[in-house]
């Protein structure tokens, strides 16, 4: 380390920077532009009627959700009504039948005249759908939103004279797992029966659809119409209760509410505050709009207290996957909360903490005294059920074929919890959630690790998601064991815990068998090469997202490149998140153009007009994970180093309040292909090491005074920052204005169906 005294160097040339250019503590630089206009530039537009869920608008609040599109075969518009808590409660039939998310129903708006045109806008800034439906009899002016803090759907329609007799009709759907649809060819377990039919009733001016369940409890859809002149407002809500039947009263109370205008005030303010938590602008306006739509989509699908996002979020459609998947989907869905500065949405940490006893119950009984796990698929409370037939998959046993020994999912889930800890440095997350649960997850592996003749620990056959072949020494599991043991050791040190398992963690790290490798790179496991098209990067977790094998080690570069190229070379089974994974690995390799190429392939091949994504059924993780790929291009903070703009293809970038590991808030500006300035605010006083392309850097505090720092042998900057302090980095002799805002780029077509 070379210490440099900056006081003399900073001298008189930069004295004028102090004060005027630097912002007050805690202030956001992103404020000198019109936020509404900026977010509005990403609005989705419809000039023709969407025909399916992946073409239409969508609204939500983490619980209640609605997709909007044409009613098939009718002169009507469908407004779906679904809810993330509504599920069956028969665990004996497994997660995908007896515990599945249940369809609720939908409203149809049925006009007087034939629909001839639509002109809709999904107003992201206000989280509202607005626009008109033109018919042969007149027009209907539409405004719809799902209140962000209430389970309430408000749809306000102002009709022209010829359309005053339009009507709303509710269509309840059969309360049965969508997996039972014959198109999926997934026979239900023996003894599985339908739930009772829905009961249509009313209470005063409130209409009710009461759905009793065989296992007890109910879900209830309530709605009422309010008419004022030519305006008619439909208020709808869904309530759920189990095992008691208390949902009717709650649903009625939800729809006895104030005016649309009054309800919209708090709703809009919440969304405005949400967007302002961070800022990003790049010249690629199609990708920029996609980015802000994903933040809207995520906030429509997630809340900390809501169930962890199911495969299709709160927008349940016909799907073979009517529940929550833990071998990739959940992890990818929540990565964006960290960089976007929305850690308060972390339902993963909330769920594994709240339902930790259920995680213990998911492993075989003989291991529950010290272990825990999470199956591939669970319901809202992390339960899988009995795993009868093809109804679900419990946590299997290494060395046994049945049930499928996919045992690493809890450890990978806890990597998300670790990311939350690292981005907040909140010791409560570390002490109360991560450490005790990771200890149990790694303990489960310890029951099966055994030393071979080579003196190394080996693992019997396990399953690498979703390759389809069991293999010993699966790279998926070896990577998670290494990461888990290393994290437990670091956590014990940070928490000052003298855990009796410390020697075992150390021994496992020192003697775990190396990753199986052949001439094509990382294998699935010992004796099982990567030899067919495979969408999942489960065999590459050590590269990404665990960063256990990295491009910064020159001896690993050829292996990383070979593995990536071999994996991506097999067409056939590749899917959208294949390309987000490839983009993020390319970003680690410092190849911004290649990362941008893979994101371009994702957009071209897989992303639907409304930015949704579909495989057999609707799935939400891939578009959300593309946000993390963008983040990996803009900033990487693994390994204790904040890498600013490490893999960017864009000459102009504006970034504000990006959250990094170590609990720093980063703002930065790239202009004409170089980094102009960086601002960091420390929330926890963690060590601050920054890697940047700024030449001859100077560092100042928020008042413009020289800040003490040192230059490490590799050129990284180590900046002394205590909790609450800020530092600004820029080139010596420069006088940057520390402002962020929209950067210029060529106009791009709107998402949706704009023409």
């Amino acid at each position: 380390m070379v210490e440099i005294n900056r006081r003399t160097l900073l001298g008189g040339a930069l004295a004028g920077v102090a004060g005027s250019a630097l912002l007050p503590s805690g202030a956001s630089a992103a404020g000198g532009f019109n936020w509404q206009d900026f977010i509005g530039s990403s609005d989705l537009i419809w000039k023709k009627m969407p025909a399916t869920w992946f073409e239409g608008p969508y609204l939500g609040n983490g619980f209640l959700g609605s997709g909007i599109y044409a009613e098939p075969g009718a002169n009507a518009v469908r407004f779906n009504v679904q809810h993330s808590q509504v599920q069956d409660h028969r665990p004996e039939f497994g997660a995908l039948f007896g515990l599945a998310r249940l369809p609720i129903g939908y409203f149809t708006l049925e006009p007087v005249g034939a629909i001839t045109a639509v002109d809709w806008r999904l107003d992201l800034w206000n989280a509202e759908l607005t626009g008109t439906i033109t018919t042969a009899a007149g027009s209907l002016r539409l405004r719809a939103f799902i209140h962000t803090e209430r389970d309430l759907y408000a749809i306000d329609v102002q009709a022209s004279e010829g359309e005053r007799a339009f009507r709303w009709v509710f269509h309840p759907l059969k309360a049965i797992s969508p997996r039972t649809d014959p198109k999926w060819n997934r026979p239900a377990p023996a003894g599985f029966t339908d739930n009772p039919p829905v009961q249509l009733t009313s209470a005063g001016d409130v209409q009710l659809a009461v759905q009793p369940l065989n296992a007890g409890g109910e879900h209830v859809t309530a709605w009422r119409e309010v008419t004022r002149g030519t305006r008619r407002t439909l208020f709808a809500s869904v309530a759920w209760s189990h095992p008691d039947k208390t949902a009717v009263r709650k649903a009625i109370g939800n729809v006895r509410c104030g005016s649309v205008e009054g309800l919209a005030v708090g709703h809009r303010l919440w969304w405005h505050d949400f967007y302002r938590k961070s800022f990003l602008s790049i010249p690629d306006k199609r990708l920029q709009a996609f980015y802000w739509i994903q933040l809207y989509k995520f906030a429509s699908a997630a809340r900390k207290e809501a169930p962890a996002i199911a495969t299709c979020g709160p927008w349940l459609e016909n799907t073979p996957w009517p529940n929550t998947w833990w071998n990739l989907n959940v992890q990818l869905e929540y990565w964006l909360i960290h960089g976007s500065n929305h850690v308060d949405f972390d339902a993963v940490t909330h769920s594994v903490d709240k339902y930790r006893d259920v995680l213990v119950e998911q492993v075989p009984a003989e291991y529950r005294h010290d272990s825990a796990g999470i199956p591939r698929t669970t319901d809202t409370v992390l339960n899988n059920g009995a795993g009868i037939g093809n109804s679900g998959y419990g946590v299997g046993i290494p060395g046994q074929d049945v049930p499928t020994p996919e045992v690493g999912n809890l450890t990978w889930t806890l990597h998300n919890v670790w990311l939350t800890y690292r981005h907040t440095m909140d010791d409560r997350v570390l002490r109360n959630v991560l450490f005790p649960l990771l200890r149990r997850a790694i303990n489960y592996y310890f029951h099966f690790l055994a030393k071979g003749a080579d003196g190394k620990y080996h693992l019997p056959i396990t399953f690498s998601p979703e390759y389809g072949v069991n293999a010993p020494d699966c790279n998926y599991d070896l990577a998670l064991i290494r990461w888990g043991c290393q994290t437990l050791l670091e956590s014990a040190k940070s928490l000052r815990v003298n855990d009796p398992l410390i020697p075992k963690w150390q021994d496992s790290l020192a003697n775990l068998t190396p990753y199986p490798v052949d001439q094509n790179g990382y294998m699935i496991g010992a004796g099982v090469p990567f030899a067919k098209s495979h969408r999942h990067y489960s065999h590459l977790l050590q590269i990404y997202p665990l960063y256990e094998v990295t491009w910064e080690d020159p001896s690993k570069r050829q292996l990383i490149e070979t593995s990536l190229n071999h994996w991506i070379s097999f067409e056939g089974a590749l899917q959208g998140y294949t390309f987000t994974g490839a983009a993020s690995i390319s970003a680690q390799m410092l190849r911004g153009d290649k990362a941008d190429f893979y994101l371009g392939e994702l957009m071209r091949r897989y992303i639907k007009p409304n930015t949704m994504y579909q495989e057999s059924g609707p799935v939400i993780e891939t578009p959300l994970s593309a946000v993390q790929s963008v983040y990996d291009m803009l900033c990487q903070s693994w390994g204790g180093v904040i890498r600013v703009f490490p893999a960017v293809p864009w000459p102009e970038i504006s970034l504000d309040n990006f959250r990094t590991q170590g609990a720093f808030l980063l703002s930065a500006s790239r202009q004409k292909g170089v980094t102009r300035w960086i601002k960091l605010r420390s929330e926890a006083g963690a060590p601050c090491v920054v890697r940047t392309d700024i030449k001859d850097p100077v560092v100042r505090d928020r008042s413009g005074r020289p800040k003490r720092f040192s230059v490490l042998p590799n050129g990284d900057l180590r900046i002394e920052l205590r909790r609450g302090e800020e530092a600004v980095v820029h080139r010596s002799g420069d006088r940057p204005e520390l402002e962020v805002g929209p950067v210029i780029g060529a106009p791009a077509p709107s998402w949706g169906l704009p023409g």
Side-chain angles (χ1 to χ4, degrees):
M1 181 185 301
V2 181
E3 293 286 348
I4 299 178
N5 186 329
R6 311 302 294 178
R7 190 172 301 275
T8 302
L9 180 61
L10 289 173
L14 296 177
V17 175
S20 62
L22 298 177
L23 296 170
S25 174
S28 170
F33 61 93
N34 187 306
W35 268 94
Q36 182 172 1
D37 289 348
F38 173 73
I39 299 296
S41 68
S42 299
D43 287 353
L44 296 91
I45 304 295
W46 287 265
K47 296 293 187 179
K48 59 182 179 180
M49 177 71 77
T52 64
W53 67 269
F54 57 79
E55 290 183 344
Y58 43 91
L59 305 165
N61 65 5
F63 295 94
L64 192 60
S66 179
I68 303 156
Y69 48 89
E71 174 66 1
N75 182 53
V77 182
R78 175 184 291 204
F79 292 74
N80 276 312
V81 179
Q82 306 295 348
H83 199 284
S84 63
Q85 289 179 311
V86 171
Q87 67 165 80
D88 217 330
H89 299 279
R90 294 180 279 175
E92 65 273 19
F93 297 114
L96 299 180
F97 290 97
L99 297 173
R101 290 270 309 278
L102 294 177
I104 297 171
Y106 60 93
F107 291 94
T108 50
L109 189 160
E110 302 181 359
V112 174
I115 297 173
T116 59
V118 297
D119 186 359
W120 295 349
R121 174 182 292 268
L122 185 52
D123 176 356
L124 300 181
W125 179 243
N126 293 315
E128 296 179 358
L129 175 65
T130 61
T132 58
I133 301 169
T134 303
T135 77
S139 64
L140 300 163
R141 184 176 297 172
L142 176 72
R143 176 187 183 189
F145 62 89
I146 290 179
H147 198 281
T148 191
E149 296 174 306
R150 304 174 61 166
D151 274 344
L152 181 65
Y153 196 174
I155 310 173
D156 190 64
V157 179
Q158 185 166 358
S160 69
E161 185 62 32
E163 279 292 346
R164 294 188 68 169
F166 82 89
R167 65 176 190 155
W168 287 106
V169 179
F170 181 69
H171 307 262
L173 292 172
K174 189 176 180 181
I176 197 71
S177 169
R179 198 172 174 92
T180 61
D181 189 319
K183 73 179 290 186
W184 307 123
N185 194 27
R186 306 281 186 171
F192 184 73
T193 58
D194 290 352
N195 282 302
V198 69
Q199 301 165 1
L200 298 176
T201 184
S202 63
D205 64 343
V206 177
Q207 304 299 308
L208 299 166
V210 181
Q211 177 62 64
L213 301 175
N214 284 333
E218 62 187 3
H219 60 263
V220 176
T221 305
W223 67 97
R224 65 189 279 259
E225 272 200 87
V226 177
T227 300
R228 289 187 297 169
T230 59
R231 292 178 57 187
R232 288 162 53 189
T233 306
L234 178 73
F235 295 107
S237 183
V238 174
W240 160 87
S241 62
H242 175 79
D244 299 325
K245 293 188 175 182
T246 58
V248 170
R249 179 180 298 179
K250 182 178 179 182
I252 292 173
N254 287 343
V255 298
R256 295 199 184 281
C257 52
S259 67
V260 168
E261 291 79 6
L263 290 166
V265 173
H267 169 79
R268 288 181 167 188
L269 289 175
W270 185 96
W271 278 95
H272 300 170
D273 288 343
F274 168 81
Y275 289 120
R276 286 190 174 110
K277 289 293 289 293
S278 60
F279 178 81
L280 166 63
S281 181
I282 56 178
D284 184 339
K285 296 308 173 184
R286 179 76 165 170
L287 183 58
Q288 177 180 288
F290 175 86
Y291 169 80
W292 287 102
I293 293 167
Q294 300 325 295
L295 289 193
Y296 164 81
K297 182 189 298 177
F298 178 79
S300 299
R303 292 292 184 277
K304 176 181 177 180
E305 297 80 9
I309 300 174
T311 53
C312 51
W315 305 291
L316 185 64
E317 294 278 344
N318 193 12
T319 175
W321 306 315
N323 233 317
T324 306
W325 251 252
W326 297 89
N327 63 357
L328 174 136
N329 301 66
V330 167
Q331 288 87 341
L332 272 61
E333 288 161 354
Y334 285 90
W335 280 343
L336 64 78
I337 67 174
H338 302 112
S340 66
N341 198 19
H342 289 296
V343 187
D344 51 323
F345 280 75
D346 185 5
V348 176
T349 299
H350 178 78
S351 293
V352 298
D353 181 23
K354 184 175 182 179
Y355 303 117
R356 64 178 66 201
D357 292 343
V358 180
L359 298 176
V360 173
E361 295 170 0
Q362 303 307 298
V363 298
E366 60 267 37
Y367 305 108
R368 293 174 187 167
H369 63 284
D370 69 353
S371 302
I374 196 165
R376 180 182 304 174
T377 314
T378 75
D379 69 355
T380 59
V381 299
L382 312 193
N383 188 22
N384 176 269
I388 299 171
N390 65 2
S391 60
Y393 303 88
V395 177
I397 299 175
Q400 299 183 17
D401 286 329
V402 180
T404 304
E406 184 176 286
V407 300
N409 299 335
L410 176 58
T411 307
W412 190 8
T413 299
L414 292 173
H415 180 258
N416 278 54
V417 178
W418 177 82
L419 287 172
T420 288
Y421 162 66
R422 284 290 302 155
H423 284 80
T424 62
M425 301 305 290
D426 185 343
D427 280 347
R428 295 170 297 180
V429 173
L430 183 64
R431 183 182 301 277
N432 300 332
V433 185
L434 178 63
F435 186 76
L437 284 175
L438 185 57
R439 193 177 187 274
R440 279 185 165 270
I442 296 301
N443 274 348
Y444 191 59
Y445 280 119
F446 283 163
H447 288 291
F448 309 102
L449 283 173
K451 276 194 174 180
D454 59 358
K456 298 294 185 180
Y457 287 110
H458 293 270
L459 196 64
I461 61 165
T462 57
F463 185 79
S464 180
E466 299 167 335
Y467 194 72
V469 179
N470 292 337
D473 292 336
C474 267
N475 276 324
Y476 177 72
D477 295 291
L478 295 181
L480 291 167
I481 292 169
R482 282 196 170 90
W483 173 81
C485 288
Q486 185 62 48
T487 301
L488 285 167
L489 288 169
E490 293 172 357
S491 300
K493 181 178 180 181
S494 178
L495 295 171
R496 300 180 181 179
V497 172
N498 187 20
D499 195 289
L501 289 176
I502 287 176
K504 194 165 188 176
W505 301 331
Q506 293 170 330
D507 180 47
S508 298
L509 278 176
N511 295 296
L512 190 64
T513 188
Y515 296 114
V517 170
D518 65 10
Q519 70 275 12
N520 294 316
Y522 286 110
M523 304 167 69
I524 295 298
V528 180
F530 186 91
K532 63 180 181 179
S533 185
H534 179 40
R535 61 185 177 176
H536 207 299
Y537 47 95
S538 51
H539 66 303
L540 302 179
L541 291 195
Q542 60 273 25
I543 302 172
Y544 184 83
L546 301 181
Y547 292 101
E548 200 273 327
V549 174
T550 76
W551 193 254
E552 292 188 3
D553 181 350
S555 69
K556 301 297 184 184
R557 291 183 177 180
Q558 186 61 52
L559 177 58
I560 292 172
E561 186 158 19
T562 299
S563 299
L564 172 61
N565 291 341
H566 185 64
W567 168 51
I568 209 76
S569 69
F570 287 89
E571 288 287 353
L574 302 183
Q575 291 290 352
Y577 62 74
T578 308
F579 292 90
T580 66
S584 288
I585 293 173
S586 297
Q588 186 194 139
M589 299 164 69
L590 309 180
R591 296 177 179 175
D593 289 340
K594 196 67 175 178
D596 191 43
F597 166 78
Y598 285 128
L599 287 180
E601 288 293 279
L602 168 71
M603 302 295 169
R604 181 177 66 85
R605 298 190 190 193
Y606 300 102
I607 298 301
K608 302 299 185 181
N610 63 359
T611 80
M612 287 291 189
Y613 171 71
Q614 180 185 22
E615 291 184 16
S616 294
V619 275
I620 194 175
E621 83 294 315
T622 291
L624 299 181
S625 72
V627 171
Q628 183 59 43
S629 299
V630 173
Y631 288 166
D632 291 330
M633 298 163 74
L634 294 171
C635 179
Q636 300 171 30
S637 54
W638 51 272
V641 178
I642 301 169
R643 303 160 181 83
V644 182
F645 303 145
V648 291
W650 311 294
E652 310 286 327
I653 303 171
S654 194
L655 190 65
D656 188 45
N657 277 349
F658 182 92
R659 182 172 290 275
T660 78
Q661 291 189 38
F664 296 96
L665 291 178
L666 166 71
S667 301
S669 177
R670 180 174 169 87
Q671 301 173 21
K672 298 180 180 178
V674 297
T675 305
R676 183 78 185 278
W677 57 266
I678 295 167
K679 180 167 72 74
L680 285 161
R681 176 176 174 81
S682 173
E683 291 189 339
C688 181
V689 178
V690 181
R691 186 170 301 167
T692 174
D693 63 353
I694 294 176
K695 305 300 183 184
D696 191 19
V698 296
V699 182
R700 290 183 173 272
D701 67 13
R702 66 190 183 211
S703 300
R705 296 169 300 199
K707 189 74 182 170
R708 188 173 179 83
F709 75 100
S710 54
V711 180
L712 303 180
N714 67 350
D716 291 350
L717 309 180
R718 186 190 300 277
I719 303 172
E720 296 184 14
L721 273 182
R722 293 191 295 267
R723 183 192 304 268
E725 290 186 339
E726 288 181 358
V728 177
V729 183
H730 56 82
R731 182 174 54 83
S732 176
D734 195 7
R735 295 173 177 266
E737 294 289 335
L738 303 186
E739 295 180 354
V740 298
V743 302
I744 296 173
S750 299
W751 291 93
L753 298 174

